[in-house]
Amino acid sequence: MTMRGFDLTPYRRSTVGFDRLFDLIENNARLQQGDNYPPFNIERLSEDRYRVTLAVAGFRSDELEITAQQNLLQVSGRKEETQPTDRAKFVHVGIANRSFERRFELADFVRVEKADLADGLLIIELVREVPEAMKPKKIAINGGQLVEIGNDRDAA
């Protein structure tokens, strides 16, 4: 038995500000039923470093395109259609040689550091860089006397 969808309504009713997360979960569940080409791996290298590896055998670097936008990484490959005379030379065609588009949702502050193509693998290095203003910081607690603000009677 395969689960076709999620009912996130109870969670949507009791949370605030998680709409984007629930939309991602629902959209990802729909996309998982589709095409799985090209195959890929996602690795967590450290707390703030990731690697996405796509198997793109037969693609040259000029046939691949990587686009990074806010919270979205899109990788596409464009192959020219082969002529029927070219196909006649093959006895068996087992290596997929078709165009593709693969999208990855990125967390906030994740950016592409670099991309390399070697041995039929497209390796994309990602790094999460949280701005200093967004990092957690400890707040000092003053143990002194309570000061009342806006009381003009003491000034007279």
Side-chain angles (χ1 to χ4, degrees):
M1 181 180 351
T2 315
M3 190 172 196
R4 295 277 182 214
F6 299 100
D7 183 15
L8 299 174
T9 306
Y11 301 106
R12 287 183 185 268
R13 282 193 298 244
S14 61
T15 60
V16 176
F18 290 93
D19 297 340
R20 182 173 177 273
L21 176 64
F22 294 138
D23 291 343
L24 287 173
I25 292 170
E26 290 170 346
N27 289 338
N28 194 30
R30 275 193 294 273
L31 292 175
Q32 291 300 327
Q33 298 170 5
D35 190 13
N36 282 331
Y37 177 76
F40 65 93
N41 293 336
I42 300 176
E43 300 172 73
R44 184 175 188 169
L45 304 174
S46 69
E47 187 174 331
D48 293 325
R49 301 186 71 74
Y50 301 88
R51 178 182 295 145
V52 177
T53 305
L54 290 96
V56 291
F59 282 86
R60 297 184 316 265
S61 59
D62 63 332
E63 296 172 323
L64 297 169
E65 184 175 292
I66 302 170
T67 306
Q69 301 174 13
Q70 182 179 358
N71 300 98
L72 180 67
L73 172 65
Q74 182 175 326
V75 181
S76 56
R78 301 285 175 242
K79 278 295 208 183
E80 294 180 19
E81 291 295 320
T82 57
Q83 300 300 323
T85 57
D86 294 339
R87 290 186 187 179
K89 298 175 187 173
F90 289 99
V91 175
H92 172 74
V93 177
I95 298 174
N97 203 14
R98 64 182 191 264
S99 297
F100 69 89
E101 183 175 290
R102 176 71 75 179
R103 295 172 181 245
F104 300 93
E105 294 287 337
L106 301 177
D108 292 336
F109 313 116
V110 173
R111 68 171 180 80
V112 175
E113 186 174 52
K114 67 177 184 171
D116 294 309
L117 179 63
D119 301 326
L121 298 174
L122 177 63
I123 301 168
I124 303 169
E125 303 281 341
L126 304 169
V127 63
R128 181 173 51 152
E129 294 177 341
V130 179
E132 198 63 38
M134 301 295 287
K135 290 182 180 177
K137 50 189 154 216
K138 294 202 178 226
I139 307 299
I141 301 172
N142 295 328
Q145 182 179 351
L146 180 64
V147 178
E148 195 171 321
I149 299 173
N151 190 350
D152 292 339
R153 284 183 277 163
D154 295 335

